[in-house]
Amino acid sequence: VIAASANPEGWVGQSVQGNSLIESAWAKRSGTGTVTMIDGVERVAGYELVRGAPWLMVAGIPQAEVEEVFWY
């Protein structure tokens, strides 16, 4: 993982291998979904393969924050 985060120590160098959304994203190339990441937080995420590089870009926001916006 290469990350821009408030807690980069918790992300950089970590593996996301075996994560169902991440694994399927390589075949789909781009999309959205809900995923529990390596920190245990469920997130609403969007992803896209980076053209010209063997990278998958994933951006997400905690599901709890999304629900808070809609329910309050």
Side-chain angles (χ1 to χ4, degrees), residues 5-55:
S5 170
N7 179 24
E9 309 83 34
W11 292 93
V12 176
Q14 299 297 315
S15 174
V16 292
Q17 186 175 2
N19 184 294
S20 60
L21 178 76
I22 303 300
E23 295 289 331
S24 67
W26 289 104
K28 294 180 181 178
R29 306 191 62 81
S30 67
T32 59
T34 302
V35 60
T36 301
M37 294 299 291
I38 57 177
D39 61 354
V41 176
E42 185 177 19
R43 288 181 169 78
V44 176
Y47 57 88
E48 185 159 343
L49 289 176
V50 176
R51 214 174 274 190
W55 294 356

